[in-house]
Amino acid sequence: MNRKELVMQYRVTRQLKGHRPTVIYLKKNIGKIYEEGTADFIMSLGKEELFFQRLSTFKKRLLPQKDFELSLARIKSYHLRDINPFTKCLTFYTAESFFIEIYYYVKLADGIETEVNIDRILKTLEEQGVKEIQL
């Protein structure tokens, strides 16, 4: 099942939180927001938070006990960079110098919605005063 079908399946069954759902993956880092291992998530935008709904490794089932949220008020800036021709990394920074790195695939047939939804999430954040930084 590709990412588009996966999101549609959970959207139809009304299991998704928020709007603009996109399949991403997170890796353990020192940013102190997400400190688990590498895992797939569905990230979506709520009124006051970003929702991260964890997917199981092989069957891509939702694991609600491993979900978490990030308050939009905590996000102060972001940085977007290319990892390779098919992967981008979006990093959100907080005022406390914490960060979270969000990886997603681009330029793939089932990834168009991912790119569009992440762009829309970023536009919403920019309207709330979140600035893009260049490193």
Side-chain angles (χ1 to χ4, degrees):
M1 177 181 314
N2 68 33
R3 289 172 286 173
K4 185 176 180 179
E5 291 170 348
L6 183 69
V7 168
M8 187 56 75
Q9 170 192 333
Y10 289 122
R11 182 179 278 160
V12 167
T13 60
R14 298 183 181 262
Q15 292 178 290
L16 291 181
K17 301 174 184 175
H19 303 284
R20 310 286 181 224
T22 181
V23 178
I24 53 110
Y25 66 99
L26 302 176
K27 296 180 182 179
K28 182 176 181 176
N29 64 34
I30 59 171
K32 297 188 179 178
I33 294 176
Y34 178 75
E35 298 179 305
E36 303 291 323
T38 300
D40 291 329
F41 286 83
I42 295 177
M43 179 180 75
S44 55
L45 180 66
K47 288 184 180 181
E48 298 178 3
E49 61 278 306
L50 281 175
F51 295 107
F52 294 87
Q53 294 179 264
R54 175 82 183 265
L55 295 168
S56 65
T57 304
F58 297 108
K59 295 196 177 193
K60 302 299 181 202
R61 292 189 178 138
L62 290 174
L63 301 173
Q65 68 276 16
K66 296 190 177 189
D67 293 354
F68 70 97
E69 300 172 7
L70 176 60
S71 170
L72 296 179
R74 287 185 65 194
I75 301 171
K76 299 301 176 198
S77 59
Y78 72 92
H79 176 67
L80 190 58
R81 63 189 163 101
D82 294 330
I83 302 298
N84 61 46
F86 300 104
T87 310
K88 286 192 176 193
C89 178
L90 171 62
T91 306
F92 289 126
Y93 297 95
T94 68
E96 307 92 17
S97 298
F98 298 154
F99 64 91
I100 184 169
E101 293 178 329
I102 299 164
Y103 296 88
Y104 62 99
Y105 297 108
V106 295
K107 300 179 184 173
L108 300 176
D110 68 337
I112 294 170
E113 284 187 6
T114 296
E115 294 179 71
V116 169
N117 285 341
I118 286 183
D119 285 343
R120 289 181 178 164
I121 289 170
L122 291 176
K123 285 180 184 170
T124 300
L125 290 172
E126 287 174 350
E127 290 170 0
Q128 296 179 3
V130 175
K131 306 274 188 221
E132 180 177 11
I133 58 172
Q134 301 297 323
L135 300 177

